[in-house]
Amino acid sequence: MLVNKKYVKRHAKGFVYLHWINAVCFFMLFLTALPLYADSCKGLYDIFGAKTLQNAHRFFAVLFVLNPVIGLITAREGIWRMFSEVLKFNSKDITFLVKFPLELIGKHPAGIPKQGFYNGGERMNIALQLATWGVLVGSGALLWFGEGIIDNSIRAWMIPLHSLCAGIGFAGSIGHIYLALIANPDSVHGMQDGTVKVDYANAHHGEWMDDLVKEGKIKQQELKEALKG
Amino acid sequence: MAQEITMLHDVARCSACRACMVACKQWHDLPADMSTPFEGQYQSHKDLSSHTWNLIQMQERVDSKGNFHWDFIKKQCMHCGDPACAKGCPEEAITKLESGAVVIDPDKCVGCGYCTANCPFGIPKVDGEKHVSTKCDLCFDRIEQGMEPSCAKTCTADAILFGTREEMLKKAEERLAMIKEDHPDANIYNPHGVGGVHMLYVLPEKPAVYGLPENPQTPASINLWKDIVRPVGKLASVGAVAGVLGLTALTAMRRRGEK
Amino acid sequence: MNLTRRDFLKTTGLTGVGLALASLGLDMPKVKAAAKEFKLKGAREFTSICHFCACGCGVIGYVKDDKLINLEGASDNPVNRGGLCSKGLGYGQIPNSDQRATKPLYRAPGSDHWEEISWDEAIDKAARALKKARDENWKQTEVIDGQTVDVHRTDAIGFIGGSQINNEECYQNIKMARALGVTYIDNQTRVCHATTPPAMNAAFGRGAMTNHWGDLKHSKLIWIEGSNIAECHPMGLKNVMKAKNNGAKIVHVDVRYTRTSKIADYFFQLRPGTDIAFLGYIISYIIENKKYNEDYIRRNTNAYCILRDDYKFDEGIFSGYNAEKHKYNMETWGYALGADKKPQKASDLFAPNTVMSRMKEHFSRYTLDKVSGITGMSKDDIELAAKIFCEYSPTVMMYALGMTQHTVGVENIRCFTILQLLRGNIGVPGGGIDAMRGQPNVQASTDFGIMFQYLPGYLSFPTEKTNTLEKWTRASGTFRAKWLKNMLKAWFGDYATPANDYAFNLIGVRNSSHNDSIYGLFEDAYRGTVKCLYLCGQNPHVTNANAGMVHDGLCRMDTVIAQDIFVNETAEFWNRPGDNPADIQTEVIFLPACSYLERRGTITNSMRMIQWRMEGPKPLGDSKPDYEINNLLWRKIRELYQDSTDPKDEIIQRMTWNYSDDQTVEDILKEINGYDLTTGKLVSGIGQLKDDGTTSSGMWIYAGVYGNGEHKAQRRGQEDEGGLGIYPNFGWTWPDNIHLLYNRASCDENGQPVDPEHKIVWWDAAKNRWEGYDVPDVGNRNAAPGTPDGNKPFRMTGEGYGRLFAAEYSDLNPDGMTRDHSYTPVDGPLPEFYEPVESPTKNALHKDEKAQFNPCVVYPRLPEKQRIGTKDEFPYVLCSSGIAEHWCSGTVTRNIPWLNELVKEPFVEMSHKLADQLGVKLGDKVKVSSARGNVTVKAMVTDRARPLTINGEETHMVWMPYSWGFKGLSKGPSTNYITIDALDPNVQEQEFKACLVNITKA
Ligand SMILES: Nc1nc2c(c(=O)[nH]1)N[C@H]1C(S)=C(S)[C@@H](COP(=O)(O)OP(=O)(O)OC[C@H]3O[C@@H](n4cnc5c(=O)[nH]c(N)nc54)[C@H](O)[C@@H]3O)O[C@H]1N2
Ligand SMILES: Nc1nc2c(c(=O)[nH]1)N[C@H]1C(S)=C(S)[C@@H](COP(=O)(O)OP(=O)(O)OC[C@H]3O[C@@H](n4cnc5c(=O)[nH]c(N)nc54)[C@H](O)[C@@H]3O)O[C@H]1N2
Ligand code: HEM
Ligand code: HEM
Ligand code: SF4
Ligand code: SF4
Ligand code: SF4
Ligand code: SF4
Ligand code: SF4
Ligand SMILES: [Mo]
């Protein structure tokens, strides 16, 4: 069933929260650690104090870890979907990725195969964020708690690793935000009340829409009307 | 020209009187640290701490012949020739002085703990309250005034020696010769991997017996981090932001054009 | 005194390694971190002497804004050359400690708290309490052995302490005590090294450590037995290590593996209290294998002297034993005297009845089998030890409590004296017997006679047998009577004249058969006769053996006056956890003393060196220097007695006390040094003292310390002619600045050094005088080697030579009056092995029950309080002693956080085997109990400890430190609730090192 005849249900509420908490934590983590990352940002320590920022980093780190743990209860479906979607990465996604760059400047090249719930780009993003999440948490934890337990010859590698992931994760998320806010502003709706416009969904996630119809979650009729309107 | 100096701990002589521990605290006005409870052991603290920069480790050992040994060693900063702590410090708060002393500037230190993670010997400890990293500073302030380090001056067993580097290297050989007969594994601990140390040890047994790494290295990860990850990361981040801004502008222009 | 800038640079260490480094260009460019001001900038420096062990380390302190900001070793001090151990350094926290008592306090009878009172009130209360106890319990006469004797003394007051105060304060205290007629006078030496002076005295004529710390560098073998030098005399160890650099070997013989064993080349373990058996074997080995230095013993000892043929020894008992009294009549232990009343010598060393032949016979019983069974050492080890002992020379023997704290303490040490004399190791560089004294000023508190049986300078205190000057002289000799007269002149001034025997009879008389030691004191307090205790820096509630006895005694006293820098357990005994203060009617007056850093004075270390202490920071709060408190107290007492006409009070009125307020310590030291009364000048040394009342000297052995008006204790000279390591111009060493005692023994008959490479003194024929790098230890420097006076290597014994056999002997003047008397231990002229009073086994050497333990020991003295435990009930041997990071009762060190973090609480050390047997793991709580009490502590299970096979049976030994009590920052149970107070018969020293306990899991 469509919502208000125009919107299709995409993300559960829990997942939306999960996403935003994750997003905020990520940025706060990045910002609080920025003075260590870039000398040009040392000013932040002068303003807020090194101890405050480092404690804040740890505070958000805890949230950052707890968030998906809680998510396992409140947004199990969304999380499960992310995992399964990444694993479904296929040849269509490759075609997508080849043609995709034009999307970046808002063009809609032809020949892009119909995409599933997540498109090839999103699947990439998920994979990237999952991986950096894991490494950041792991390396961060070793830096935080590993003293005296884990040999320093190992711990010393956590610093570049952590930094590396922070960098990649950050660059990735910037791209992600651009795509969401600028390239496909319609997608953001999905991260607001959980629904997206049918036309947006159809254009970007045709296969998913087809599946929904097949599964009878929405009726062909409804869909047509919505697309027309 | 300033002289390169070195401290030497003759492990065979140390009596674990722990005077050096008190001397260090007195000179640096460090409070007592009761965090290690007494559970039947002799050693006072599990490890160095921000209030304990110098720890006498005490371990019992029965060798393969069934002979008993009580091993003591003075744990503190090694004052590496190529100090990982200093290299990896994002704030450049750690300086290797010409004398060889590796010293933390508390005013610059932000307490990030990278020195703690990078040091191959696990020496620096971040002070929870003051939020600065701490460790033995070789009493550089005393040295500058022509005084010996507190611990070296006070040693009750002629186990800590202090002087110019050449002199100490010579003394180390002398002391080694004195114990070599009874201790075939005896060695001078001055690992190359960290650029040599200004805290030499004459060890009657292999380093591992005293919990010292056989072949410590100034970790390659520091260079990777300093020379590659950080610059590349910064570039990527700035690039991403710049790229996105550019794309935004492009999109906006294109969209305006479409209208 | 003012030190020059340069002196300070030296003491700081700037002219040592420091300056060398600086000149090499170490003042490197200042990094930002150095921008912080140098810690010592602008601080006032002062030097002093450490207040813990008797090493006597020099310290340099720095004061800023009247606070001590740093304390470290003085680099110019030859004892420590800049080093300090953990305690010496840790003392830096004491002048600022918030645990210090800063106001006089009063605890009313039955009260559960202290009240602050004014100094006036406190002094008034203290003086009146002493007066009351004295006046109400005055003993004018006493019936002793059926005779009424005029004793004019009081047995109702005890004076305890002395090792924790400066020389001048010791002198004040002994004058106060003797003027009050007190006989219970004691200081730490009783519980510590009391057995040392008689043993050394019996052999050499003096009771002190023979050589200097700096002399150790000459030793080739350093034999450490019954000492934990690394922990208890750390700067002694620093000097030992210098010898090691010269190739010396270190042997450690001990009952446990300690930090000293760690640095030794050889470690031999034996059961507590069995050293005589072990050393007896070595003596026998030396004699059998002719490893003795024949030339030396011929020149310097009584080896060739012939003994009386009625001297006997059978089944562990010497001739003359009275089993009822546990006493010997020593008559038969004498020499066969010639017509001149001097000992006769044989020409053959082993002629019948020579000392050597009797010794050979005596020690031949110490066979490898027997000794191995007794000690638990393997036969191989015993033999190896004997071999090593004979392999090197010179050898120094170093010891402390492992030897002294036994009921056979004197005879333990006698073994050392015999060994060293046999090997020719006395009076030579690198040799000697280093009796390492414990407390910072125990050497001086003993010198000053803060002991019931002495007056200052080891002059016997009068007893019913010596209650006139004439009788006293007959017993002690004219040699010593001279010093006594000089002391009496110092004490009673013009009143002391030859006509009134120098006022000898003002001084009280003690009962020779009465035990007036600190142990007798608390037993008699328990019996109700001792009413008032004046305690000056001692904490017997924690440190006396069978400490429950101390508590019970204190509870029955009327008044305790405690003068201390902290309120210790003894001062606050009424507040012992678990007791009800309301039940305890003793009033307590607390007089807060300031710490050593806050006052000045002189102090004497183990090697008899007197050093100067400057004032550092001002006394904390209202605390005062001990010398000032003593002044206040004595002046008040004198005031209370000033109008009395009672003859008993005359001594108080006549006792000199002319010390100015601002120069108290200098005035006292001058009095001790002595004056030529005809010129009013300070005498320059013992040699200037006269027998006719024209000179005075408060204590003859220190005559010269202020020689010719120079305060020699303040000297910091670095000269060391001959490279002996003695630095004769640093401080001043008694007697006469002689550093190596008996150094005459290093020369042959012609006065020439036997070992020219290590010469110390020699006869200079050209100058017709003894010369040396050290002051020659001869009675008369102009007495040529051939003359009787020039041939007395051990001039302080009656015979003039070293005594292998401690014969009963008085040397007579031509007129038949005693010149000097040699000391003979009451329990035998030769050492004999006896089991400790509480022992896990039967004495394997003799079957006679009387000789199971020392036959002269009387124990129990108070049967209801002093049970002897047996092996069935208490199967394990307990040894207790000090630990590197804490000090004695712990009053001071347990208030130093830097030390508490190193050793946090008491514990019991045991082997894995015993722990397994008991089902105990590392850190488990266990209850250690004896026939006297029990304590609960954690177990330290270690491979350092191991069981020994004793006479065929596996025997376990456990060890405990004793430095805890219920006060201070670190509290813990006191080990001494379980230790035994059986006492050595010579000097009433207890057996801390061996008693029986049981252990159970708590
Ligand atoms: N750190 C520290 N230093 C101190 C003190 C302190 O409390 N703490 N106290 C000071 C005082 S007052 C003194 S008197 C000295 C004492 O100094 P030490 O005499 O060195 O001290 P202890 O540890 O009592 O005893 C010495 C050794 O004798 C051993 N021993 C016990 N019984 C026997 C025995 O029967 N035979 C043999 N061969 N050895 C035995 C003990 O195991 C111990 O290792 O130290 C002084 N210095
Ligand atoms: N079980 C067992 N017991 C033992 C021993 C052992 O080996 N085993 N050893 C014994 C030995 S050797 C000794 S010497 C004794 C020591 O026994 P104590 O002399 O009783 O012990 P300390 O802790 O030295 O006590 C000294 C007191 O003097 C005080 N004091 C410090 N400085 C000053 C000062 O400047 N002025 C004044 N007025 N007071 C001051 C201190 O605060 C403390 O209360 O213990 C003995 N007890
Ligand atoms: C559980 C998660 C995390 C933990 C436990 C953790 C822990 C740490 C620790 C201990 C440091 C050292 C400095 C400091 O104490 O502040 C650090 C640095 C840093 N962290 Fe994290 N962190 C976590 C997640 C993240 C995330 C998600 C990011 C990025 C978005 C991030 C970015 C950084 C950066 C950039 C630095 C400085 C890196 C550098 O030295 O170049 N961290 N982190
Ligand atoms: C202002 C910031 C952000 C906005 C506007 C935003 C927006 C969105 C939107 C609209 C979606 C849904 C896409 C869809 O329904 O297909 C989404 C999904 C997602 N977001 Fe974000 N996001 C932001 C920040 C972040 C950050 C910082 C992270 C991670 C560190 C992140 C991780 C993800 C992931 C993993 C998904 C699911 C997969 C995907 O759609 O790419 N987001 N985001
Ligand atoms: S030991 Fe560690 S802290 Fe010391 S200089 Fe070397 S790397 Fe730095
Ligand atoms: S803790 Fe301080 S000294 Fe250590 S790396 Fe960080 S900023 Fe540098
Ligand atoms: S050199 Fe100075 S800072 Fe380092 S351990 Fe010794 S006393 Fe402490
Ligand atoms: S002062 Fe010297 S002997 Fe004592 S613990 Fe330190 S290094 Fe060892
Ligand atoms: S306790 Fe003894 S060794 Fe330690 S500093 Fe004091 S005097 Fe020196
Ligand atoms: Mo002592």
Side-chain angles (χ1 to χ4, degrees), chain C residues 47-105:
Chain C
T47 62
S48 188
I49 304 301
C50 175
H51 199 67
F52 290 113
C53 82
C55 281
C57 297
V59 304
I60 175 161
Y62 299 84
V63 180
K64 226 185 215 171
D65 302 328
D66 229 12
K67 277 218 161 13
L68 185 81
I69 56 156
N70 190 50
L71 187 68
E72 51 189 73
S75 294
D76 67 338
N77 192 307
V79 173
N80 56 315
R81 289 285 172 216
L84 289 183
C85 75
S86 59
K87 303 178 300 302
L89 288 162
Y91 205 98
Q93 291 188 308
I94 293 300
N96 306 324
S97 167
D98 58 6
Q99 303 294 309
R100 282 265 299 276
T102 57
K103 291 250 164 26
L105 301 170

Side-chain angles (χ1 to χ4, degrees), chain A residues 25-27 29-34 36-38 45 53-55 57-58 60-62 64-65 132-133 136-145 159 162-167 169-170, chain B residues 90 111-114 225 229-230:
Chain A
C25 286
F26 185 89
F27 276 108
L29 281 161
F30 191 77
L31 285 175
T32 52
L34 206 50
L36 290 176
Y37 196 58
Y45 272 170
L53 288 189
Q54 285 161 19
N55 284 340
H57 191 78
R58 283 163 169 76
F60 287 109
V62 173
F64 192 65
V65 173
T132 51
W133 189 92
L136 280 170
V137 170
S139 57
L142 283 193
L143 282 177
W144 189 355
F145 303 111
I159 296 169
H162 198 73
S163 298
L164 183 72
C165 290
F170 179 74
Chain B
C112 68
Y114 282 13
W225 176 73
V229 174
R230 281 223 308 179

Side-chain angles (χ1 to χ4, degrees), chain A residues 68-136:
Chain A
V69 174
I70 296 167
L72 283 178
I73 304 160
T74 59
R76 179 175 335 184
E77 208 186 327
I79 290 175
W80 188 82
R81 171 162 257 144
M82 285 204 296
F83 279 107
S84 56
E85 285 279 324
V86 190
L87 295 174
K88 280 186 201 150
F89 196 82
N90 57 27
S91 59
K92 275 197 278 180
D93 293 329
I94 298 188
T95 323
F96 173 85
L97 284 176
V98 173
K99 309 234 167 182
F100 165 75
L102 277 179
E103 284 251 3
L104 281 180
I105 48 167
K107 282 200 175 151
H108 300 290
I112 290 189
K114 271 193 174 175
Q115 296 291 311
F117 187 91
Y118 288 128
N119 63 33
E122 287 166 336
R123 284 178 184 173
M124 287 286 291
N125 186 36
I126 293 171
L128 183 83
Q129 294 301 342
L130 278 179
T132 51
W133 189 92
V135 178
L136 280 170

Side-chain angles (χ1 to χ4, degrees), chain C residues 53 87 192 225-228 231-233 253-256 258 270 272-273 275 400-403 406 438-439 879 881-884 886-888 993:
Chain C
C53 82
K87 303 178 300 302
C192 178
E225 182 165 349
S227 146
N228 188 355
E231 304 196 40
C232 292
H233 295 92
V253 184
D254 205 291
V255 303
R256 52 187 289 258
T258 66
L270 42 61
D275 297 80
L401 305 181
M403 291 290 119
H406 291 283
Q439 292 264 341
C879 171
S881 54
I883 187 162
H886 281 286
W887 175 262
C888 291
K993 296 297 188 251

Side-chain angles (χ1 to χ4, degrees), chain C residues 515-692:
Chain C
N515 175 3
D516 302 326
S517 74
I518 190 169
Y519 288 100
L521 163 64
F522 287 108
E523 284 160 20
D524 285 343
Y526 177 73
R527 292 187 185 105
T529 56
V530 182
K531 304 292 183 192
C532 178
L533 176 68
Y534 169 76
L535 189 72
C536 188
Q538 189 160 343
N539 193 4
H541 198 275
V542 174
T543 54
N544 261 31
N546 192 9
M549 195 64 246
V550 172
H551 186 83
D552 297 345
L554 287 168
C555 287
R556 296 195 179 173
M557 289 188 186
D558 293 340
T559 309
V560 171
I561 304 161
Q563 182 169 320
D564 203 295
I565 67 170
F566 286 101
V567 177
N568 64 17
E569 284 80 358
T570 311
E572 207 173 296
F573 75 98
W574 45 270
N575 211 8
R576 182 173 71 168
D579 292 353
N580 182 4
D583 297 341
I584 299 171
Q585 295 307 312
T586 317
E587 67 167 352
V588 187
I589 302 153
F590 184 85
L591 308 173
C594 65
S595 84
Y596 86 91
L597 290 169
E598 298 152 50
R599 69 184 199 265
R600 65 191 204 273
T602 61
I603 180 162
T604 308
N605 73 359
S606 191
M607 61 183 197
R608 316 175 314 280
M609 181 164 73
I610 303 167
Q611 303 187 81
W612 176 242
R613 294 171 142 180
M614 292 171 70
E615 279 153 331
K618 283 208 194 76
L620 191 69
D622 287 347
S623 67
K624 288 182 191 295
D626 286 282
Y627 64 78
E628 213 176 302
I629 304 175
N630 292 348
N631 270 350
L632 291 173
L633 186 59
W634 186 250
R635 286 172 188 163
K636 174 58 82 179
I637 292 172
R638 210 170 45 182
E639 184 190 313
L640 296 179
Y641 278 109
Q642 67 189 359
D643 300 326
S644 166
T645 52
D646 189 335
K648 86 178 202 307
D649 303 333
E650 187 179 351
I651 184 169
I652 294 178
Q653 292 157 344
R654 296 216 179 268
M655 181 62 84
T656 56
W657 201 280
N658 308 317
Y659 314 130
S660 61
D661 280 340
D662 59 335
Q663 291 283 303
T664 296
V665 298
E666 288 80 0
D667 290 349
I668 295 174
L669 194 63
K670 287 176 186 166
E671 179 176 323
I672 295 168
N673 176 84
Y675 293 94
D676 180 331
L677 298 170
T678 55
T679 62
K681 289 215 174 95
L682 290 156
V683 297
S684 63
I686 303 174
Q688 282 196 348
L689 297 181
K690 300 215 172 69
D691 200 23
D692 58 5

Side-chain angles (χ1 to χ4, degrees), chain A:
Chain A
M1 219 183 37
L2 291 179
V3 180
N4 288 340
K5 307 202 166 153
K6 207 172 140 196
Y7 294 94
V8 59
K9 181 102 189 127
R10 186 163 162 86
H11 298 294
K13 272 268 146 53
F15 188 70
V16 171
Y17 286 127
L18 178 103
H19 172 266
W20 287 119
I21 294 171
N22 185 63
V24 168
C25 286
F26 185 89
F27 276 108
M28 289 313 288
L29 281 161
F30 191 77
L31 285 175
T32 52
L34 206 50
L36 290 176
Y37 196 58
D39 299 344
S40 45
C41 298
K42 275 187 188 145
L44 284 177
Y45 272 170
D46 298 334
I47 300 167
F48 298 103
K51 195 175 180 180
T52 320
L53 288 189
Q54 285 161 19
N55 284 340
H57 191 78
R58 283 163 169 76
F59 172 78
F60 287 109
V62 173
L63 272 189
F64 192 65
V65 173
L66 281 183
N67 185 39
V69 174
I70 296 167
L72 283 178
I73 304 160
T74 59
R76 179 175 335 184
E77 208 186 327
I79 290 175
W80 188 82
R81 171 162 257 144
M82 285 204 296
F83 279 107
S84 56
E85 285 279 324
V86 190
L87 295 174
K88 280 186 201 150
F89 196 82
N90 57 27
S91 59
K92 275 197 278 180
D93 293 329
I94 298 188
T95 323
F96 173 85
L97 284 176
V98 173
K99 309 234 167 182
F100 165 75
L102 277 179
E103 284 251 3
L104 281 180
I105 48 167
K107 282 200 175 151
H108 300 290
I112 290 189
K114 271 193 174 175
Q115 296 291 311
F117 187 91
Y118 288 128
N119 63 33
E122 287 166 336
R123 284 178 184 173
M124 287 286 291
N125 186 36
I126 293 171
L128 183 83
Q129 294 301 342
L130 278 179
T132 51
W133 189 92
V135 178
L136 280 170
V137 170
S139 57
L142 283 193
L143 282 177
W144 189 355
F145 303 111
E147 195 182 341
I149 302 166
I150 306 293
D151 203 90
N152 270 10
S153 55
I154 297 170
R155 269 179 13 106
W157 283 97
M158 294 307 127
I159 296 169
L161 210 57
H162 198 73
S163 298
L164 183 72
C165 290
I168 294 175
F170 179 74
S173 65
I174 292 298
H176 166 73
I177 292 165
Y178 166 76
L179 286 173
L181 288 180
I182 312 292
N184 296 304
D186 282 342
S187 68
V188 180
H189 202 264
M191 276 298 156
Q192 284 165 327
D193 72 353
T195 61
V196 287
K197 279 195 188 137
V198 172
D199 51 353
Y200 162 81
N202 211 40
H204 291 263
H205 303 281
E207 201 182 278
W208 172 52
M209 292 304 281
D210 295 351
D211 288 349
L212 283 180
V213 174
K214 256 185 246 159
E215 284 163 25
K217 292 221 171 114
I218 44 177
K219 294 186 185 107
Q220 191 74 35
Q221 187 59 23
E222 273 183 299
L223 187 62
K224 271 193 184 144
E225 273 168 31
L227 284 173
K228 253 186 267 161

Side-chain angles (χ1 to χ4, degrees), chain C residues 684 736 744 747 750-753 760-787 790:
Chain C
S684 63
D736 273 333
R744 166 67 179 82
C747 295
N750 305 317
Q752 295 316 303
I760 350 172
V761 298
W762 55 88
W763 172 255
D764 187 328
K767 290 193 194 149
N768 212 26
R769 192 179 145 80
W770 285 94
E771 289 293 340
Y773 299 134
D774 191 7
V775 177
D777 191 359
V778 294
N780 174 356
R781 285 185 73 165
N782 297 316
T787 65

